[in-house]
Amino acid sequence: MIFTKNSHFIAAMFDIDGTLTELEHTNMPIPLAKKLACLSEKMPLAFATGRDMKHAEKTFNEQILIHAKDKKLARKNWYMICENGALGYFFDESSKSYKEFYRIRWDSKLLDRKELGEEIRKTLGKILESVDETRKTQFLIRLYKKDLKSQQARFQRVKKIAKICEKILDKFKNGHKFETLESGLAIHISPKNANKDQGIIRFAKYLKGIYGLDAGKSARKILVVGDQPGKGRNDDAFLSGKYGTPFTVGEITDKKWPSPVIDEKGDILKGPKGTLYLLKKICK
């Protein structure tokens, strides 16, 4: 998909790991951080992540906010879509803190979190590093990886265990109402209605309700950038094209959406490099 100088987006939304930073790294390239700081003073930006609010806030305060000329305006335009799309936050200037503007709850009547946690620990055993049950809307499962030397081997282990986690859900009566997604880094279990695509439409509704900004049909005027499309991946719903205008700076699919980022030479650009190139082209 090619955009002209007349392309118009009212907002943008980004995955973090693999999109703004390289996978397994927490630092984003300074040119990209500066571009995001500049955009923060021009339009609302949402950051969608499987991580929690504490991590997201620390990352952006330390890496993006320092480059903004008008820090108050930049932070006002930030929205954090955390826990894989189930929680949305805006910055409240009066309290100088982030507050929720939506939450998609885990219904414990459908699936008891304690019982699920016990089954995960029993099944995965020593390969399990941690099950983060402090998340408000999901389970985050991390695996031991020190015995695996290559990044590819670590990713393959996560993918394999994600399949096992799907079978764990099958043991529960209402397990079909929940889903297992993997990001290459970790495994997420959450309600099926609590994904990053919900982040897009909740973000669009908030901008319409508070600021009168119209994201258009299916929120197409929101630019969406991620790196992991495809069934079972962390950005599957996020980049499906159901909502927003999605681009991938990672895996390529044979579907209409998401569009790859292609430079003038015809090369496909990935990771933070691809994100920066895209922003330079369509967000003047």
Side-chain angles (χ1 to χ4, degrees), residues 4-229:
T4 70
K5 64 180 180 181
N6 295 318
S7 299
H8 176 64
F9 291 102
I10 66 162
M13 192 167 177
F14 306 91
D15 167 56
I16 298 177
D17 296 295
T19 301
L20 301 183
T21 68
E22 298 290 350
L23 280 173
E24 297 192 297
H25 294 274
T26 57
N27 292 328
M28 67 186 70
I30 291 177
L32 177 56
K34 287 182 176 180
K35 181 63 175 177
L36 290 170
C38 180
L39 280 179
S40 298
E41 298 174 52
K42 298 178 180 179
M43 66 167 66
L45 302 182
F47 303 97
T49 177
R51 299 178 185 269
D52 59 19
M53 180 62 215
K54 184 178 179 180
H55 177 273
E57 182 179 10
K58 183 176 186 295
T59 297
F60 294 111
N61 283 348
E62 293 180 355
Q63 298 193 51
I64 299 177
L65 195 63
I66 59 172
H67 298 296
K69 294 179 180 178
D70 187 337
K71 291 178 172 54
K72 181 177 179 180
L73 175 60
R75 193 157 53 182
K76 179 184 177 182
N77 275 334
W78 285 356
Y79 298 83
M80 305 298 179
I81 310 300
C82 298
E83 298 193 19
N84 233 42
L87 280 169
Y89 297 88
F90 71 97
F91 188 76
D92 178 56
E93 184 62 34
S94 61
S95 65
K96 304 295 182 183
S97 63
Y98 282 90
K99 293 186 176 180
E100 290 182 20
F101 68 91
Y102 81 89
R103 178 191 293 200
I104 302 173
R105 299 181 181 277
W106 179 296
D107 189 344
S108 293
K109 292 180 180 179
L110 291 177
L111 182 53
D112 185 271
R113 291 171 63 88
K114 184 178 180 181
E115 290 181 12
L116 178 60
E118 289 174 351
E119 188 64 30
I120 290 170
R121 291 186 181 88
K122 182 176 74 174
T123 303
L124 300 188
K126 293 181 179 180
I127 198 173
L128 179 68
E129 181 178 295
S130 65
V131 180
D132 187 349
E133 297 178 47
T134 65
R135 302 293 178 102
K136 299 175 181 178
T137 61
Q138 66 166 210
F139 273 71
L140 179 69
I141 300 168
R142 294 191 181 280
L143 308 176
Y144 279 115
K145 56 186 181 182
K146 292 181 179 178
D147 59 320
L148 301 176
K149 296 181 180 180
S150 73
Q151 184 183 70
Q152 188 60 32
R154 294 192 291 272
F155 290 172
Q156 286 300 319
R157 172 173 284 179
V158 170
K159 185 176 293 188
K160 178 181 177 181
I161 301 303
K163 295 293 184 182
I164 294 175
C165 289
E166 289 178 2
K167 294 179 180 179
I168 292 174
L169 280 179
D170 288 341
K171 295 180 180 181
F172 293 86
K173 179 181 178 180
N174 293 306
H176 63 284
K177 295 183 179 181
F178 295 77
E179 65 181 345
T180 299
L181 297 173
E182 56 92 3
S183 63
L185 304 176
I187 299 161
H188 308 262
I189 297 180
S190 59
K192 284 187 175 179
N193 67 335
N195 211 313
K196 288 182 180 180
D197 61 336
Q198 289 298 311
I200 300 172
I201 58 174
R202 302 293 181 111
F203 181 41
K205 288 179 180 178
Y206 184 85
L207 294 179
K208 177 70 172 180
I210 300 299
Y211 299 110
L213 294 173
D214 187 0
K217 184 179 180 180
S218 301
R220 291 288 183 233
K221 292 183 180 180
I222 296 179
L223 172 69
V224 176
V225 189
D227 71 310
Q228 297 189 61

